[in-house]
Amino acid sequence: MTAVGVLALQGGFEAHLHALARAGAQARDVRRVGHLAALDALVMPGGESTTLLNLMADEPWFDAIRAFHARGGSLFGTCAGAILLAREVRRPSQPSLGLLDVAAERNAYGRQVDSFETLLEAPALGGLVPGVFIRAPRLTDLGRSIEVLASRDGEPVLVRDGRVWAATFHPELTNDPRIHRAFVESVSRVRAA
Ligand code: GLN
């Protein structure tokens, strides 16, 4: 069975655990660096990326996640998690893992539209999928290797570069299982290869 961990230091990890289990993965919460060893994939949830960075300073999380990726692990960052994966973070700038060749602009939709739910164009996932945006970032300056899996008004909101996926929204907060299912299927394929 494909083992997918969810970084459980802060933020919305419970809903991801449910969504992953429903998608057929063995879902586990990840609270210590050592928990990564037994996983095929790691989901980095939404929350507050600066708070997450502070909590991640307690253990060598950056080194461990980069090593996890280098040894073939898959990653999926949603919202704050996507910000942590980016090559570069803007407004304001802050450290990031640099595992996804995009720039992430934090809180890009302004205060007026703090959170909203909308339908996204996702032809790769079979049509329109719902997405919940909460103080969401915007992904810009996409590298050539980035594949856009879903967009909103022409802007990329779900992207992937091989084993690394990122969503600027919260797929775990809707009842639509397609995004978690597609991720778990891709992890299973990597595992079988
Ligand atoms: N605005 C948050 C940040 O910049 C992300 C919000 C979220 O994860 N829902 O880290």
Side-chain angles (χ1 to χ4, degrees), residues 132-156:
V132 176
F133 290 72
I134 305 171
R135 290 183 293 287
R138 187 176 266 132
L139 304 180
T140 62
D141 301 299
L142 273 55
R144 284 165 177 272
S145 55
I146 302 292
E147 184 187 344
V148 177
L149 298 179
S151 54
R152 174 181 177 264
D153 294 340
E155 286 185 341

Side-chain angles (χ1 to χ4, degrees), residues 45-50 78-81 83 94 106-107 134-137 170:
E48 217 287 318
S49 56
T50 312
T78 59
C79 206
I83 294 169
Q94 67 186 20
R106 295 180 62 197
N107 302 313
I134 305 171
R135 290 183 293 287
H170 292 260

Side-chain angles (χ1 to χ4, degrees), residues 13-89:
F13 53 89
E14 289 285 352
H16 271 299
L17 289 168
H18 289 300
L20 290 163
R22 190 168 64 164
Q26 190 182 346
R28 305 181 191 155
D29 53 340
V30 172
R31 293 167 197 274
R32 307 293 306 265
V33 157
H35 295 162
L36 292 174
L39 300 176
D40 299 302
L42 176 70
V43 171
M44 300 168 63
E48 217 287 318
S49 56
T50 312
T51 308
L52 265 167
L53 278 177
N54 288 335
L55 293 169
M56 288 170 89
D58 287 348
E59 277 200 279
W61 281 104
F62 268 40
D63 288 349
I65 291 171
R66 286 178 179 138
F68 176 73
H69 174 254
R71 74 156 166 85
S74 300
L75 294 160
F76 189 4
T78 59
C79 206
I83 294 169
L84 291 182
L85 285 173
R87 173 190 77 232
E88 184 191 343
V89 180

